[in-house]
């Protein structure tokens, strides 16, 4: 058994949480230029309406892309192409785990910063440097380690509070499972 005391921890560059934080998204993206914002389908219309008001009259703009529901190579390519056409300087993902993983992969492959805005407390995707890939039909392919964590995790607690209760319950279950994952990592004596 190793006796190393070295431990590693990866996390986002910044984590901001509070009510109404999505209303400041233009301020968080402006230093990068125009934003490519990938939005979960069930929130697309309401978030686009909100973003239009937030970015109105500002020097930077945004391109909204409705996420098609699967973190797959085809979806990543589609989003990257639209971001390239829009000359985006930052990717923003708003939604659940697959939306956030897709956005993180798009940014990682293009070498651009990424901001993630989770819409429920039921996923580790916002703070993980791992993204899970599927086929376009939803079959699991594998996980990919990204070159870095998100530049910003932005948690708007007003959005989190309106998420379906089943997602909140799933988040509690995930948090309980994370305890055992962390315990196993700690007991492994691995430096990473």
């Amino acid at each position: 058994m190793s006796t190393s005391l070295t431990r590693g921890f990866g996390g986002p560059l910044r984590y901001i949480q509070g009510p109404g934080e999505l209303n400041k998204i233009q301020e968080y993206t402006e230093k990068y230029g125009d934003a490519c914002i990938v939005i979960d389908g069930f929130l697309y219309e309401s978030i686009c309406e909100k973003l239009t008001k937030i970015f109105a009259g500002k020097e930077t703009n945004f391109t909204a892309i409705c996420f098609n529901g699967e973190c797959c190579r085809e979806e990543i390519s589609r989003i990257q192409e639209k971001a390239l056409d829009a000359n985006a300087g930052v990717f923003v993902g708003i939604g659940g785990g697959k939306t956030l993983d897709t956005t993180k992969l798009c940014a990682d492959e293009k070498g651009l910063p990424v901001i993630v805005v989770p819409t429920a407390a039921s996923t580790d995707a916002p703070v993980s440097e791992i993204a899970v890939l599927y086929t376009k039909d939803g079959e699991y392919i594998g996980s990919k380690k990204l070159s870095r964590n998100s530049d910003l995790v932005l948690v708007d607690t007003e959005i989190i509070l309106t998420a379906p209760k089943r997602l909140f319950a799933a988040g509690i279950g995930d948090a309980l499972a994370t305890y055992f994952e962390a315990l196993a990592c700690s007991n492994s004596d691995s430096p990473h």
Side-chain angles (χ1 to χ4, degrees):
M1 180 173 262
S2 172
T3 58
S4 173
L5 297 177
T6 302
R7 296 289 183 258
F9 174 81
L13 184 60
R14 290 174 53 204
Y15 179 97
I16 298 172
Q17 176 179 317
E21 281 299 319
L22 183 60
N23 295 323
K24 300 176 187 172
I25 192 68
Q26 189 277 334
E27 297 170 33
Y28 295 126
T29 61
E30 70 182 344
K31 69 179 176 180
Y32 305 113
D34 290 344
C36 174
I37 304 179
V38 182
I39 307 167
D40 248 338
F42 70 95
L43 293 170
Y44 184 75
E45 288 184 28
S46 63
I47 296 291
C48 278
E49 186 177 309
K50 185 175 228 175
L51 292 173
T52 300
K53 292 175 185 172
I54 293 168
F55 279 83
K58 305 294 185 186
E59 288 188 27
T60 58
N61 205 350
F62 74 97
T63 298
I65 300 172
C66 184
F67 178 63
N68 282 339
E70 207 53 74
C71 183
C72 62
R73 182 59 35 209
E74 295 83 357
E75 184 69 350
I76 293 164
S77 296
R78 180 183 78 88
I79 292 167
Q80 286 176 334
E81 186 175 314
K82 289 186 177 195
L84 180 64
D85 289 346
N87 198 31
V90 60
F91 280 92
V92 178
I94 302 175
K98 288 185 178 184
T99 304
L100 302 182
D101 277 358
T102 301
T103 307
K104 293 186 313 185
L105 283 162
C106 287
D108 192 65
E109 292 177 7
K110 293 299 181 185
L112 291 175
V114 64
I115 296 171
V116 294
V117 183
T119 55
S122 59
T123 178
D124 292 332
V127 295
S128 174
E129 64 183 354
I130 302 292
V132 181
L133 277 165
Y134 299 86
T135 66
K136 64 181 179 178
D137 298 320
E139 292 179 41
Y140 173 77
I141 294 175
S143 299
K144 181 177 180 191
K145 187 174 186 320
L146 305 173
S147 61
R148 63 187 204 162
N149 287 80
S150 300
D151 294 84
L152 171 61
V153 173
L154 186 65
V155 179
D156 187 326
T157 53
E158 289 175 355
I159 293 173
I160 299 295
L161 287 173
T162 63
K165 290 177 184 174
R166 65 181 172 76
L167 295 180
F168 182 72
I172 291 171
D174 187 55
L176 291 171
T178 300
Y179 167 77
F180 295 102
E181 293 169 353
L183 186 61
C185 289
S186 175
N187 290 338
S188 74
D189 280 329
S190 172
H192 302 290

